[in-house]
Amino acid sequence: MTVLARFGTLFGFGVIVAIFAALSPQAFAQTSNLINITQQMSLLTIVALGAAFAMSLFEFDLSVGAVVSMAGIVSATLFAAGWDIGPTILTTLAAGFIVGCVSGYFVAVWRVPSFIMTLAVGTIVGGFTFWISDGATLFGNIPVAFRDLGRGYIGGVPVLTIWALAATLFAAFVLERTELGRRMLAIGGNREAALLAGVRVVPTTVWAFGLCALMATMAGLLLTARLGSAHPTGGNGFLLQAYAAVYLGMTAFRDGQPNAPGTLLGAAIITVVANGLTILGVPNYLQDIFTGLIIIASVLLRNVGQQSR
């Protein structure tokens, strides 16, 4: 694998940062803003790392945005019912994990295309979320101790940034250091070959989708803690950006495989572009255009690197 193919995306990230730093040194190139960027990208990073588990199978989970929203509404509803923080978090995480496992089961056993299955599951979850919330934002009864999980700083580092780093280490450990991760990547590389090699496709697929939804649920809980409220569509904006981050990460460090460091880098690129363009006063629709162009450029850069091998 050439240096260009392996580190081209990282180099591109450096160029993006340098450009924004030169265009707005008094705003972008400040330590406080760089710290703020790590906080802004944290929830996207966690959702994208979950999506990387599904992508490691060469599958998609389109329900992640709905699961983020569900986690917020379920936790806020349980708090309103008088539940303590621990049981609320565990129950919400379990609910999200089960949603993912259901998707994984139908994809693995009944061979329902993941695109269709998770789109349907996301629609069901979205309807459930609106049902229990009556379509309203839930504000009350969220404990201060729970809100602290998504707010504040530890040693000058935002709490959300620490959560994102912990999630990155967890995803890296699973994908790189465990048998489960190796089975996921084997199935994604060649499902039939993995079957012939004795890889247990069904439980591996169920686990991958379960972990994907679990990470989205974690992001939903942290989003609720950060905002002190939960909205039934609060997670809708994560879906496309999460998979963009994963794909950007697949052009970095590993040759076309989802990986945790690359996904973190992908989330950083998306967030830095949004942050820099906002500082420069660029309208949101142009930010979307620039983000799409960056993704295309990263693909072209990887292809050029592969052709030079």
Side-chain angles (χ1 to χ4, degrees):
M1 188 176 185
T2 66
V3 173
L4 179 61
R6 186 169 186 177
F7 298 109
T9 305
L10 183 60
F11 174 75
F13 174 64
V15 171
I16 292 170
V17 172
I19 290 173
F20 283 128
L23 292 175
S24 183
Q26 300 303 317
F28 181 85
Q30 298 295 315
T31 301
S32 58
N33 184 55
L34 297 179
I35 292 175
N36 183 51
I37 287 173
T38 67
Q39 182 171 245
Q40 290 175 346
M41 64 181 277
S42 57
L43 297 179
L44 171 60
T45 298
I46 294 171
V47 178
L49 289 167
F53 287 124
M55 281 290 291
S56 69
L57 302 172
F58 209 66
E59 303 283 3
F60 293 90
D61 188 341
L62 302 186
S63 69
V64 290
V67 172
V68 171
S69 301
M70 180 197 74
I73 294 298
V74 168
S75 60
T77 301
L78 293 179
F79 284 135
W83 285 44
D84 292 331
I85 295 174
T88 294
I89 292 176
L90 291 176
T91 301
T92 305
L93 289 173
F97 182 72
I98 290 171
V99 168
C101 288
V102 169
S103 295
Y105 176 81
F106 278 91
V107 169
V109 175
W110 297 98
R111 302 303 297 274
V112 180
S114 60
F115 184 92
I116 300 300
M117 184 64 207
T118 58
L119 183 62
V121 168
T123 302
I124 294 169
V125 168
F128 171 77
T129 301
F130 265 89
W131 174 45
I132 64 175
S133 66
D134 288 328
T137 300
L138 304 183
F139 291 98
N141 303 304
I142 297 178
V144 174
F146 177 76
R147 295 200 298 267
D148 288 342
L149 295 176
R151 299 179 179 181
Y153 296 78
I154 297 177
V157 180
V159 171
L160 284 179
T161 301
I162 296 173
W163 281 113
L165 291 175
T168 302
L169 292 175
F170 170 74
F173 175 76
V174 172
L175 288 173
E176 303 288 343
R177 302 293 181 183
T178 68
E179 181 182 352
L180 174 62
R182 289 189 288 271
R183 291 202 305 262
M184 290 179 189
L185 294 172
I187 293 170
N190 190 320
R191 188 180 192 274
E192 298 306 319
L195 276 170
L196 292 174
V199 174
R200 300 173 63 200
V201 172
V202 171
T204 301
T205 302
V206 171
W207 268 103
F209 278 88
L211 288 173
C212 177
L214 184 69
M215 298 290 272
T217 306
M218 176 183 173
L221 287 168
L222 291 173
L223 178 63
T224 302
R226 173 69 175 167
L227 299 177
S229 62
H231 191 277
T233 60
N236 287 3
F238 286 104
L239 175 60
L240 294 180
Q241 288 194 337
Y243 280 97
V246 176
Y247 193 78
L248 281 166
M250 290 171 64
T251 68
F253 309 128
R254 295 289 295 274
D255 190 8
Q257 287 185 331
N259 62 93
T263 300
L264 178 65
L265 176 61
I269 291 173
I270 292 171
T271 307
V272 165
V273 170
N275 178 271
L277 293 178
T278 299
I279 288 175
L280 295 176
V282 176
N284 288 336
Y285 66 89
L286 287 179
Q287 293 183 28
D288 293 337
I289 292 174
F290 276 112
T291 301
L293 290 174
I294 287 172
I295 295 171
I296 293 173
S298 70
V299 175
L300 294 176
L301 185 62
R302 173 172 171 260
N303 289 343
V304 170
Q306 288 182 327
Q307 291 172 6
S308 64
R309 293 172 61 182

